[in-house]
Amino acid sequence: MTATTSSPTLARHDRARAPRLFDTVTKKILAILFLVAIFTIPLSTADSYVLTVLATAATAAIAATGLNLLTGYAGQISLGHAFFVGAGAFSAQVLGGLWGLPLLVWLPLSALFAGALGLVVAPFALRLRGPYLAIVSLGLVYIGIYAARNLTPLTGGLNGTAVTAKVAIGPLDFAKLRIGPYIFTREQGMFLLCWLVLALVLVLTANIVRSRSGRAMQAIRDHDLAAEVLGVRRLPTMMNAFVVSSMLGGLGGGLLGVLLQYIRPENFGLDLSIQYVAIIVIGGLASIWGPVLGALFIGLVPVAAIWLAGFLPFISRPGHEGGLSVSGFGLVVYGILIVVFLLFRRGGLISFFRIRRRPRGPAQTPAAAAATETPSAPGAAHT
């Protein structure tokens, strides 16, 4: 049995059965439209507020994709994702700002640093399951805030720090981008950078999900005991998911830091973790495009709150006291939407775009269908 399982022939057969990235014409068209939109949106508008909101949504989608890999595909609940996002943001300033490393160095290193923290935490955290893992991961958020407040030379302490990391790849500087006759603002350049990185992350995640390791994660999520009986090792598989999730959180945090240009320890608290949970639940668990839709949807909540502040007296405008703040209103909306989607639309927003395929094969006649549903006679042989 062991020799048969590990045979090259079966391995090639398993790879052939793996789902393809663009297996339908619709997916190919959507991928092309996605790439076209990345370049046409900054060319069609120079509104700094709109571009910043969309770029922030891209960084949130990158980090939420990591959480979706851990929660949606591996089935592990985590409320500490903001810890890894904050680690990526502060390491981006240390590596790119204080040390002056280029973008192609400090951005991957920020992701690797967050992944290393995940590798240290994973063996202890993943021995727990369900709500116990959620409580342990929640403790990471407060540990991260405490550490950031006391590592003043690196993080600025309570006052935070300005992020001065460069966003240039050779002569291509996204802060002062110029392509031919087009001169882009910083917001336009950061929009391009964040969404291009998101596109690469989506391709990477789709390949991970369709790999043998990704299918092992889903097997453990669906039925861990049956998966272990079939030879899937739970702890190494969950550690892989936890580390990759942490790396994507650090990657999104590094981009978020240079986008905001100023970060404080309190920016990476429980509120941010809840926001990522809301993104993957609203967008759609265990889906590649779910975090993108969820991040765009959640990104519009503060915009809607600012607009509603002029009509609803219990919401205070930015800079004014009294009433519910915009961030507080956002948390209330996140909580309500999580409950609504879990109760009435567990597939999330992505489920509205899924088309149910009819099973392939010759159509059965009514007589054949009736014969199929007729129970077999007593004593019939079964193979």
Side-chain angles (χ1 to χ4, degrees):
M1 180 177 177
T2 306
T4 305
T5 304
S6 59
S7 63
T9 304
L10 184 59
R12 287 194 296 270
H13 178 66
D14 288 344
R15 288 195 294 269
R17 294 178 58 188
R20 299 174 59 186
L21 291 180
F22 307 107
D23 54 350
T24 63
V25 177
T26 304
K27 289 184 179 180
K28 294 177 182 178
I29 294 175
L30 290 176
I32 293 173
L33 292 177
F34 178 72
L35 291 176
V36 170
I38 291 176
F39 293 96
T40 56
I41 289 177
L43 290 174
S44 60
T45 180
D47 191 326
S48 60
Y49 180 71
V50 172
L51 291 171
T52 301
V53 169
L54 293 176
T56 305
T59 63
I62 293 171
T65 298
L67 182 61
N68 191 39
L69 188 67
L70 179 64
T71 302
Y73 287 101
Q76 302 298 316
I77 303 174
S78 175
L79 295 177
H81 204 57
F83 169 77
F84 302 104
V85 177
F90 283 110
S91 61
Q93 165 55 17
V94 173
L95 297 170
L98 297 181
W99 295 1
L101 298 178
L103 173 65
L104 291 180
V105 177
W106 68 255
L107 186 57
L109 287 181
S110 299
L112 289 175
F113 176 69
L117 292 176
L119 184 62
V120 172
V121 174
F124 306 99
L126 294 178
R127 294 184 183 276
L128 304 173
R129 304 185 186 186
Y132 301 102
L133 175 60
I135 294 173
V136 170
S137 62
L138 182 61
L140 290 176
V141 174
Y142 296 101
I143 292 174
I145 293 176
Y146 177 80
R149 287 175 176 174
N150 290 275
L151 294 175
T152 305
L154 300 178
T155 64
L158 291 173
N159 296 324
T161 179
V163 181
T164 57
K166 304 297 182 182
V167 286
I169 303 177
L172 196 65
D173 190 351
F174 288 93
K176 297 175 291 185
L177 189 60
R178 180 170 185 172
I179 302 177
Y182 298 101
I183 300 177
F184 294 86
T185 63
R186 187 182 190 277
E187 289 77 15
Q188 290 172 315
M190 290 303 300
F191 175 93
L192 284 172
L193 176 62
C194 294
W195 280 92
L196 286 174
V197 173
L198 173 59
L200 294 176
V201 167
L202 293 178
V203 173
L204 172 66
T205 306
N207 278 282
I208 291 175
V209 169
R210 65 193 286 269
S211 67
R212 180 175 297 180
S213 178
R215 283 175 284 168
M217 296 176 194
Q218 297 171 66
I220 292 178
R221 174 201 63 191
D222 295 337
H223 203 299
D224 54 348
L225 292 179
E228 290 186 90
V229 169
L230 293 175
V232 178
R233 300 176 62 190
R234 180 184 177 275
L235 188 58
T237 302
M238 292 295 99
M239 283 187 63
N240 291 338
F242 201 89
V243 171
V244 175
S245 173
S246 305
M247 291 178 63
L248 292 179
L251 183 66
L255 289 174
L256 181 62
V258 295
L259 179 63
L260 297 178
Q261 296 183 279
Y262 196 91
I263 53 176
R264 299 172 62 246
E266 284 70 20
N267 295 142
F268 307 99
L270 179 60
D271 297 357
L272 189 62
S273 287
I274 294 176
Q275 180 177 331
Y276 290 132
V277 174
I279 287 174
I280 62 174
V281 171
I282 294 170
L285 289 168
S287 63
I288 301 299
W289 291 99
V292 180
L293 295 177
L296 289 172
F297 187 86
I298 291 298
L300 295 176
V301 171
V303 179
I306 295 174
W307 179 75
L308 290 173
F311 301 94
L312 300 178
F314 59 86
I315 303 178
S316 61
R317 295 183 178 182
H320 294 75
E321 296 182 356
L324 191 64
S325 64
V326 172
S327 60
F329 177 77
L331 287 176
V332 173
V333 173
Y334 299 155
I336 294 174
L337 290 176
I338 288 174
V339 173
V340 169
F341 274 87
L342 286 178
L343 288 177
F344 304 105
R345 198 75 187 188
R346 293 190 179 183
L349 292 174
I350 195 65
S351 63
F352 291 102
F353 299 92
R354 287 174 177 163
I355 301 175
R356 294 183 179 180
R357 299 181 182 178
R358 295 181 179 180
R360 296 180 179 179
Q364 285 186 328
T365 62
T372 304
E373 295 176 0
T374 303
S376 57
H382 295 277
T383 58

